[in-house]
Amino acid sequence: GAGVSQTPSNKVTEKGKYVELRCDPISGHTALYWYRQSLGQGPEFLIYFQGTGAADDSGLPNDRFFAVRPEGSVSTLKIQRTERGDSAVYLCASSISGGALSGTGELFFGEGSRLTVL
Amino acid sequence: QQQVKQSPQSLIVQKGGISIINCAYENTAFDYFPWYQQFPGKGPALLIAIRPDVSEKKEGRFTISFNKSAKQFSLHIMDSQPGDSATYFCAAGTYSGAGSYQLTFGKGTKLSVIP
């Protein structure tokens, strides 16, 4: 597709379970970001990949959260031992250049994965 | 600590009127200020952005005004239309030196344009 694709669009799980959320960025975009958006709030930065490596994971709230991007394209956000407070929309975004403030610096967001932890 | 404060939380404007949304930031290291538009069930989409070396940027009906000394910036939507009804987020970005270009978002403003 032409845009950032995220699956699943909705995920309901029970407290304590493990969850994986997938992001397929725009082809050719080397930078990939994960954000979390709670109800009534703006997106909150979680982690940034440049290629295969996590260049900045300072936004991950704790060690239950982990993300990978093994081949520099698709990324998976993994949440262990889910808690009710993890309920939110998890947004993935990609851009052509994630580093320098060049050109537009525009982030292209997917529609998000809505996670509900019961 | 909220680094980007956005107001108002909600806004109702008559069709054809001017919508104004304000943001203030604290961190003087921010050097990129975009506005994103989000429709229900969709991800945010870039609307317009400004860098601190200019005080105003206009694209069609959308204008950003930027006041570096006051650390404030605002979005003006001229001739507001019902199709502009959405949630608007201001953001501030900084190059962290780790190759990361991070955006810190405001809490959003829900705009309703009534016919």
Side-chain angles (χ1 to χ4, degrees), chain B residues 16-32:
Chain B
I18 302 173
S19 303
I20 301 175
I21 305 171
N22 300 298
C23 281
Y25 63 96
E26 299 167 2
N27 187 350
T28 55
F30 290 139
D31 55 5
Y32 174 63

Side-chain angles (χ1 to χ4, degrees), chain A residues 23-98:
Chain A
C23 173
D24 198 343
I26 294 173
S27 177
H29 282 192
T30 58
L32 185 146
Y33 302 78
W34 284 98
Y35 282 80
R36 178 170 67 176
Q37 187 172 24
S38 300
L39 190 63
Q41 303 292 316
E44 175 190 18
F45 171 79
L46 294 177
I47 187 169
Y48 156 69
F49 288 90
Q50 183 62 259
T52 61
D56 186 345
D57 64 358
S58 62
L60 295 177
N62 51 60
D63 60 6
R64 296 187 298 105
F65 289 75
F66 189 71
V68 295
R69 194 186 186 197
E71 298 178 355
S73 178
V74 171
S75 176
T76 303
L77 178 65
K78 307 180 180 190
I79 310 174
Q80 299 178 320
R81 304 182 304 279
T82 52
E83 300 178 356
R84 293 192 180 87
D86 299 335
S87 297
V89 175
Y90 289 82
L91 293 166
C92 177
S94 69
S95 71
I96 293 175
S97 172

Side-chain angles (χ1 to χ4, degrees), chain B residues 97-111:
Chain B
S100 173
Y101 172 50
Q102 289 189 33
L103 293 181
T104 301
F105 285 83
K107 291 190 173 184
T109 296
K110 185 174 182 180
L111 171 65

